[in-house]
């Protein structure tokens, strides 16, 4: 997820932890604990992304693909990160250090905020189609949630509205609420949010803000925000599964001889009916594999695929594969050639430790999941430029997502 989402959710969960503990006996201690728990949970919710500083350990694009969401996004390596964060808070915050020495509730709250923050980061990164490998070094496989778009305004609104209403200065509350509403309207104007989604988000924000205004010192609004977020994730999980089943049925009907290895589902923001997908299939008899990119609407009678938010649609041409399922582009190749290239090019072999949907065309390799990102496909590897170069050193041992295709 984006770091705004990590921060907002971390602040919200930190606030919920704070309000779930008995109050400190003095007002100054209560204020310090409040700031400490929110800071700790928000920092922990972002801390693993410090691996962006490690991307220079490998040349582009391997550095970003293999180091980001790398070791700092594993359960084992979250332990030293958590200890480092607690040590920094202890050393750099004298008032918090004094409070922690005397208050058992503050110590328990800090522990809960830090643990929850780190688990939230991995858990939320799991929700989209990019993937994480949390069990390394015991298991190097990638795991993909395929449920939530990488920037999801539902989380901004659910946690943001109650947090804003907890601000003491009324003018600042109104300014930030207006900023949140303005951001939603901006995304709608750019074609990333549909009208119905925009209206639902504004209504959700208004409802949570009113609840928080009526109960300023209550945790009910934040608990409801958490419940809404969990319910949204669950609904997206059900919708994504239904969408994948429709895609698989349509593709299998079109080509019964092919085996579908994987279908990567990418959600639209705040719109559970619209999903982009990339599939990868193989035909052992023909010795070939194929990737297809498309769009599926779960309610085509009410919302056709081309009526999904326009800012996230692939450019035409497109063709219907089944009611509600449309195909945009296709890349195919020979299995023997793919395996030969992977064996003969150490750069490609390293790149395949990331690529879930490897599209190799001409002298480039790119992951088809990111074919239409605004700044171009950041996964693209120039195979011609790797000729004669020494193999990259220090490649992480993630299991290649397409080990099923590479195995002979």
């Amino acid at each position: 997820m984006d770091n705004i989402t990590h921060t907002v959710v971390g602040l919200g969960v930190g606030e919920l932890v704070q309000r779930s503990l008995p109050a400190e006996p003095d007002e100054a201690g209560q204020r310090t604990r409040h700031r400490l728990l929110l800071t700790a949970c928000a920092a922990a919710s972002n801390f693993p992304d410090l691996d962006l500083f490690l991307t220079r350990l490998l040349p582009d694009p391997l550095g970003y693909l293999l180091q980001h969401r790398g070791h700092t996004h594993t359960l084992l390596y979250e332990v030293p990160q958590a200890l480092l964060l607690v040590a920094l808070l202890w050393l750099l915050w004298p008032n918090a250090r004094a409070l922690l020495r005397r208050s058992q509730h503050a110590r328990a709250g800090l522990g809960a905020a830090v643990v929850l923050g780190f688990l939230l980061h991995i858990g939320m990164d799991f929700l989209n189609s990019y993937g994480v490998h949390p069990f390394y070094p015991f298991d190097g496989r990638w795991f993909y949630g395929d449920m939530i778009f990488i920037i999801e305004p539902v989380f901004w609104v659910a946690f943001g509205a109650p947090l804003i209403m907890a601000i003491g200065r009324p003018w600042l509350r109104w300014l930030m609420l207006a900023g949140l509403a303005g951001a939603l309207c901006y995304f709608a104007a750019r074609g990333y949010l549909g009208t119905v989604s925009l209206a639902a988000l504004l209504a959700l924000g208004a409802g949570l803000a009113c609840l928080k205004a009526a109960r300023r010192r209550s945790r009910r609004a934040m608990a409801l925000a958490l419940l809404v977020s969990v319910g949204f994730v669950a609904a997206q999980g059900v919708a994504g599964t239904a969408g994948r089943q429709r895609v698989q049925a349509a593709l299998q009907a079109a080509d019964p001889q092919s085996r579908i290895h994987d279908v990567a589902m990418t959600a639209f923001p705040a719109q559970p009916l619209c999903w982009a997908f990339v599939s990868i299939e193989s035909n052992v008899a023909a010795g070939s594999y194929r990737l297809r990119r498309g769009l599926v609407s779960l309610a085509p009678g009410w919302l056709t695929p081309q009526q999904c938010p326009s800012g996230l649609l692939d450019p035409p041409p497109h063709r219907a594969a089944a009611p509600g399922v449309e195909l945009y582009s296709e890349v195919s190749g020979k299995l023997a050639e793919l395996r030969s290239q992977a064996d003969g090019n150490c750069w490609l072999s390293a790149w395949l430790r990331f690529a879930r949907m490897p599209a190799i065309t001409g002298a480039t390799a790119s992951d088809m999941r990111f074919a239409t990102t605004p700044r171009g496909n950041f996964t693209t590897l120039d195979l011609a430029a790797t000729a004669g170069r020494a193999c990259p050193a220090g490649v992480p041992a993630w299991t290649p997502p397409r080990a099923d295709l590479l195995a002979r």
Side-chain angles (χ1 to χ4, degrees):
M1 304 296 292
D2 67 284
N3 291 101
I4 294 177
T5 301
H6 283 307
T7 300
V8 171
V9 174
L11 289 171
V13 172
E15 180 74 21
L16 194 55
V17 171
Q18 158 70 7
R19 293 185 179 276
S20 299
L21 294 170
E24 298 296 328
D26 59 299
E27 186 64 27
Q30 181 71 359
R31 285 197 305 269
T32 297
R33 192 184 78 184
H34 188 191
R35 294 167 183 164
L36 173 64
L37 298 194
L38 266 66
T39 300
C41 200
S45 293
N46 285 279
F47 214 84
D49 278 343
L50 291 175
D51 63 8
L52 289 170
F53 290 104
L54 303 178
T55 58
R56 296 183 180 180
L57 296 177
L58 288 168
D60 290 336
L62 297 181
Y64 185 85
L65 302 182
L66 298 176
Q67 298 293 356
H68 181 46
R69 296 207 187 181
H71 295 89
T72 62
H73 287 65
T74 63
L75 293 172
L76 178 64
Y77 289 103
E78 283 199 339
V79 176
Q81 292 179 84
L83 295 176
L84 175 60
L85 176 58
V86 171
L88 290 173
L89 292 171
W90 176 271
L91 292 172
L92 302 178
W93 198 336
N95 288 346
R97 183 167 63 247
L99 175 66
L100 291 169
R101 280 174 171 157
R102 68 175 187 268
S103 172
Q104 178 182 356
H105 298 312
R107 292 193 295 272
L110 177 61
V114 169
V115 170
L116 288 172
F118 277 102
L119 292 178
L120 276 170
H121 189 103
I122 289 184
M124 296 190 72
D125 278 357
F126 161 75
L127 294 177
N128 51 58
S129 64
Y130 193 103
V132 291
H133 27 69
F135 306 116
Y136 184 83
F138 310 106
D139 186 343
R141 288 177 298 166
W142 290 82
F143 293 86
Y144 310 96
D146 287 4
M147 288 183 278
I148 304 293
F149 191 68
I150 197 167
I151 300 175
E152 181 46 72
V154 168
F155 297 133
W156 296 6
V157 173
F159 288 99
L163 285 169
I164 291 171
M165 292 303 295
I167 296 174
R169 295 183 176 87
W171 66 269
L172 185 55
R173 288 202 302 269
W174 285 110
L175 179 63
M176 295 192 69
L177 285 173
L180 178 59
L184 297 177
C185 292
Y186 171 78
F187 288 129
R190 292 294 302 271
Y192 300 127
L193 280 176
T195 304
V196 174
S197 298
L198 174 62
L201 289 170
L202 292 174
L204 172 64
L208 289 169
C210 290
L211 177 61
K212 185 63 177 176
R215 296 178 177 270
R216 290 292 302 278
R217 297 187 177 275
S218 171
R219 62 180 178 180
R220 290 186 181 180
M222 203 58 68
L224 180 58
L226 181 61
L227 183 62
V228 167
S229 298
V230 171
F232 175 71
V233 170
Q236 287 287 109
V238 172
T241 300
R244 179 180 287 107
Q245 291 172 347
R246 292 194 184 191
V247 170
Q248 289 173 331
L251 298 181
Q252 203 70 71
D255 186 359
Q257 303 303 315
S258 290
R259 172 195 170 192
I260 300 174
H261 291 262
D262 193 8
V263 178
M265 303 293 290
T266 299
F268 279 53
Q271 177 49 278
L273 299 180
C274 294
W275 297 80
F277 70 86
V278 180
S279 66
I280 187 162
E281 315 155 52
S282 68
N283 187 320
V284 175
S288 62
Y289 70 97
R290 174 172 56 196
L291 298 103
R292 292 194 270 192
R293 183 176 172 88
L295 179 68
V296 58
S297 169
L298 298 184
W302 179 68
L303 184 72
T304 67
Q306 293 306 308
Q307 290 175 318
C308 292
S310 59
L312 296 171
L313 297 182
D314 283 22
H318 53 84
R319 61 182 179 86
V325 180
E326 295 196 358
L327 298 176
Y328 285 111
S329 56
E330 178 178 314
V331 173
S332 59
K334 293 295 183 181
L335 287 170
E337 185 177 346
L338 172 66
R339 293 162 183 165
S340 176
Q341 287 179 300
D343 291 341
N345 187 325
C346 55
W347 288 78
L348 179 62
S349 179
W351 179 84
L352 285 167
R353 293 187 181 276
F354 169 84
R356 182 182 181 186
M357 296 293 169
I360 301 176
T361 56
T364 62
S366 60
D367 192 312
M368 207 167 176
R369 286 176 294 172
F370 310 103
T372 59
T373 52
R375 297 183 180 180
N377 194 328
F378 62 89
T379 69
T380 299
L381 174 67
D382 186 344
L383 296 175
T386 66
R389 295 180 66 183
C391 293
V395 174
W398 319 136
T399 302
R402 292 279 64 87
D404 50 359
L405 288 183
L406 297 173
R408 297 180 185 275

